Amino acid sequence: MKRLAILLPIILLAGLFQNTNVFNIFGIKLNLLLAVLVAAIFFLDQILEVVAALALALLISDFRAGFAGESAALTLLVLVSPLLSRRLPWNPFINNMVLVGGFTVVFYLLTSPGYVIGLPFGVLGEVLYNALFAAIFYNLFNLCIRTNSMLRI
């Protein structure tokens, strides 16, 4: 739970920024929650920590009543992440980017398949954009965890 407490402020900020246009570049909108939650998987040891991070991120980012299809797809992908992250053959940094890139495509196939077919280059742009931010979040989480362990907090 200590690691979750360290990563939580970053996850909270991602949840708050998800529904804004702050990271919208040329019509391509970053899926912050996907990038931050999949990156967090590599640092959270217990499934309860993953579920808590996911629930908090969804609670902050989704202000609608009920459970939207996007939230269900994100939940499914994040809960599958721990299983896949340990099965991919590369180092965790690369696995993180591959998962986020692949999950971006799967997310759109589940929520709006017409977008994948109609704008394949838009999806490719978002895959690259999400993978870039997944790498940034992975390094940020790594730095936070290492700094915390060096300070023995």
Side-chain angles (χ1 to χ4, degrees):
M1 285 299 198
K2 186 187 236 186
R3 287 181 171 201
L4 178 61
I6 294 167
L7 304 180
L8 213 51
I10 300 166
I11 294 169
L12 287 171
L13 284 174
L16 290 172
F17 279 110
Q18 180 62 49
N19 292 326
T20 67
N21 285 325
V22 172
F23 295 102
N24 190 342
I25 296 178
F26 301 117
I28 297 174
K29 188 172 180 185
L30 174 67
N31 191 335
L32 270 172
L33 289 181
L34 183 64
V36 76
L37 290 171
V38 172
I41 294 297
F42 290 90
F43 300 95
L44 299 176
D45 297 328
Q46 300 173 359
I47 192 68
L48 289 177
E49 292 175 329
V50 173
V51 170
L54 174 65
L56 190 59
L58 288 175
L59 183 68
I60 288 174
S61 70
D62 198 4
F63 297 110
R64 294 174 283 185
F67 203 62
E70 293 88 3
S71 298
L74 182 67
T75 299
L76 173 71
L77 295 173
V78 169
L79 292 178
V80 168
S81 293
L83 302 172
L84 294 177
S85 67
R86 288 158 179 69
R87 302 230 188 301
L88 292 174
W90 307 288
N91 70 34
F93 178 76
I94 301 296
N95 289 349
N96 170 48
M97 292 190 302
V98 168
L99 278 176
V100 169
F103 282 171
T104 300
V105 174
V106 172
F107 179 82
Y108 281 116
L109 287 173
L110 292 172
T111 59
S112 57
Y115 179 64
V116 176
I117 296 166
L119 294 169
F121 291 111
V123 173
L124 178 62
E126 189 166 338
V127 164
L128 297 174
Y129 197 27
N130 288 345
L132 171 70
F133 268 80
I136 291 169
F137 284 126
Y138 182 92
N139 285 329
L140 182 61
F141 289 158
N142 195 20
L143 178 67
C144 290
I145 297 295
R146 281 189 319 179
T147 302
N148 180 49
S149 64
M150 287 187 333
L151 296 175
R152 301 199 191 279
I153 294 176

